[in-house]
Amino acid sequence: MTINNSRPAAGSTPTDLKPEEIQGVIDRILAKEEAAAAKRSVSPDSGSGLSRQAQALSAQDAEHSVFDGDQQDLQDRRALRRVAGLSTELEDVTEVEYRQLRLERVVLAGLWMEGTAADAENSLRELAALAETAGSEVLDGIIQRRMKPDPGTFLGSGKAQELKDIVLATGADTVIVDSELSPSQRRGLEDIVKVKVIDRTALILDIFAQHAKSREGKAQVELAQLEYLLPRLRGWGESMSRQAGGQVGSAGAGMGSRGPGETKIELDRRKIRTRMAKLRREIAAMKPARETKRANRQRNEVPSVAIAGYTNAGKSSLLNRLTDAGVLVENALFATLDPTIRKAETADGIGYTLADTVGFVRSLPTQLVEAFRSTLEEVADADLILHVVDASHPDPEGQIAAVRAVLADVDARRIPEIIVLNKADAADPFVLERLRQREPRTVVVSARTGEGIEELRQAISDGIPRPGIELDLLVPYQRGDVVSRLHSQDAEIISLDHEEGGTRLRVKVRDSLAPELEPFALHA
């Protein structure tokens, strides 16, 4: 078919197209419409250009399996629903009845200072997932290539002005920066964009404040928030930053207010420090209870296995699959914060504990690491770490490096580690093979479908400490209590025979049980 660049006269129709060519044009138009509809269904955030997979949230349809239980905690969390399109003023009583909150409309901003462009995009997409978890609607995002942040506005005056134009065009009410801002940078950027500006640390702290449920978890999050707020407290004119001095012009407060006073901002700082001291005392008072439970397990020589990993990697789902714990599972970042410990048993009867810990993330705020140090001690005192990795994530190696950085902060890198490549049903086989080649001890599983769970159980059985003292025993038949004791989790029976003088056993026991069995030992 020849292409004619000339425009036909008004009212005329092209007659040189054959019916099959016309049908071909129609088919191409319909195919484009179907592709656009499919793209919209995958990425509902039409203005942001950030795909669902890139937002670090799972793309799997089924969020829960039969091993996750009733998930009543999740129903309670979702009882407070956030919906788009509501004004801040109530127009209908049903908005109160159903407790619907308007979504914050946010624009993201980040710097590309090192690594590749894909790394910078993945970091911004992860920030979008964090923003959605906190309850906001992501409208747009920008990335700037700079060697180092601008000391005044973080982005620089030109890019900050461009960000202001985007905020005005999209109608956003918040800007989230993919880094930690200094107080002066935050103030300078707010002065330009004219809307609220928060950084990555404040966003993560907000998610923690929403999801903390236990008394200890709430105290730890509040302490971290106050540590973050203290250096960023700033005055607002005379009410916060000025003392009431003598009468100087028309600004003086007059009689009764002369002399050295305490400014409002100093009062607030003192109140924050007082509250922080009280929270530290409360957290220190809660620590002995956790240490007592841990000491009991250590005294009874019960092996402990800690589940650690990046947020939303599937740690809680894996715990439910292994122990039927029924803990909360949600397709969100930092869905569970409070540690959960459950009993488990190997195929040959050796008991151990499984501990689900808080998830990690890139640039995890140091305030959270310090505040949750008592919780992270569950990982530092474990005998084996199951390092869960989301194998379907665009950058699993980056997740592994981020988790190991936090493990090093709590002195847990010395503990044996098994890399658990989760979400194998949604992962690329080439990525799985690449990770298996990089890491010495790996197990490929899917907590949703159950693939590889038995292999993981065997890896745990081989990795936990086992009874190490081997004994040859002859137990009289009237001492059935001793034989029953050997069938417990503190011993491993190698062989058992019934002889004329009693029950002949060859066993491996722990150090604490060996003295009790000395009267029945057969010495060569």
Side-chain angles (χ1 to χ4, degrees), residues 214 216 220 290 337-341 355-358 372 375 378:
S214 68
E216 184 177 10
Q220 289 169 330
R290 188 183 300 279
L337 302 182
D338 302 318
T340 303
I341 300 177
D356 181 20
T357 60
V358 63
F372 278 78
T375 302
E378 294 290 346

Side-chain angles (χ1 to χ4, degrees), residues 193-205:
V193 299
K194 304 300 182 183
V195 296
K196 180 177 66 174
V197 176
I198 65 173
D199 58 14
R200 182 187 180 94
T201 300
L203 179 61
I204 294 175
L205 290 173

Side-chain angles (χ1 to χ4, degrees), residues 308-471:
Y310 212 78
T311 179
N312 205 43
K315 299 182 297 299
S316 298
S317 299
L318 191 63
L319 178 69
N320 290 342
R321 174 70 71 164
L322 292 172
T323 64
D324 294 329
V327 299
L328 183 144
V329 173
E330 185 179 11
N331 186 21
L333 306 187
F334 300 112
T336 52
L337 302 182
D338 302 318
T340 303
I341 300 177
R342 292 292 185 269
K343 294 170 60 177
E345 191 174 296
T346 64
D348 53 355
I350 302 298
Y352 62 94
T353 60
L354 266 173
D356 181 20
T357 60
V358 63
F360 304 144
V361 75
R362 288 184 184 88
S363 305
L364 188 66
T366 56
Q367 298 93 340
L368 284 174
V369 176
E370 291 301 320
F372 278 78
R373 185 166 293 276
S374 60
T375 302
L376 295 174
E377 286 175 358
E378 294 290 346
V379 181
D381 291 337
D383 298 305
L384 179 67
I385 294 177
L386 299 184
H387 184 166
V388 184
V389 180
D390 181 1
S392 65
H393 190 270
D395 184 22
E397 288 90 353
Q399 290 192 349
I400 294 175
V403 171
R404 284 176 172 167
V406 180
L407 293 179
D409 289 341
V410 296
D411 194 24
R413 287 292 292 125
R414 55 183 173 78
I415 302 172
E417 175 189 47
I418 297 177
I419 298 293
V420 182
L421 302 177
N422 193 23
K423 304 182 184 180
D425 53 324
D428 187 346
F430 294 101
V431 175
L432 292 175
E433 185 60 29
R434 185 182 74 213
L435 293 172
R436 296 183 72 171
Q437 293 293 331
R438 287 172 56 95
E439 302 295 335
R441 300 177 66 184
T442 59
V443 180
V444 179
V445 304
S446 172
R448 187 171 69 94
T449 64
E451 175 189 349
I453 294 298
E454 292 305 318
E455 182 183 354
L456 177 60
R457 293 182 192 273
Q458 185 59 45
I460 296 174
S461 178
D462 297 339
I464 61 175
R466 288 180 166 272
I469 299 179
E470 187 172 338
L471 296 175

Side-chain angles (χ1 to χ4, degrees), residues 87-197:
S87 65
T88 54
E89 297 181 359
L90 297 179
E91 299 176 356
D92 192 346
V93 72
T94 57
E95 297 181 17
V96 178
E97 180 68 22
Y98 292 102
R99 297 187 292 170
Q100 295 173 330
L101 301 179
R102 184 179 66 87
L103 291 171
E104 284 190 80
R105 298 163 62 84
V106 304
V107 172
L108 311 179
L111 290 186
W112 172 21
M113 294 182 290
E114 58 183 10
T116 64
D119 295 336
E121 291 177 2
N122 283 331
S123 181
L124 198 69
R125 288 161 181 156
E126 182 179 85
L127 185 69
L130 290 168
E132 287 188 350
T133 302
S136 62
E137 180 184 4
V138 180
L139 302 177
D140 207 342
I142 62 171
I143 298 176
Q144 183 189 19
R145 184 73 164 106
R146 286 182 67 100
M147 297 301 296
K148 60 181 180 178
D150 182 76
T153 61
F154 185 76
L155 295 173
S157 58
K159 186 62 70 171
Q161 189 63 42
E162 181 182 338
L163 180 61
K164 177 184 177 181
D165 296 338
I166 295 175
V167 168
L168 291 175
T170 58
D173 50 31
T174 305
V175 171
I176 304 178
V177 178
D178 191 19
S179 183
E180 184 168 343
L181 297 177
S182 67
S184 61
Q185 288 173 331
R186 177 183 172 185
R187 188 181 307 117
L189 195 56
E190 279 185 346
D191 291 341
I192 295 177
V193 299
K194 304 300 182 183
V195 296
K196 180 177 66 174
V197 176

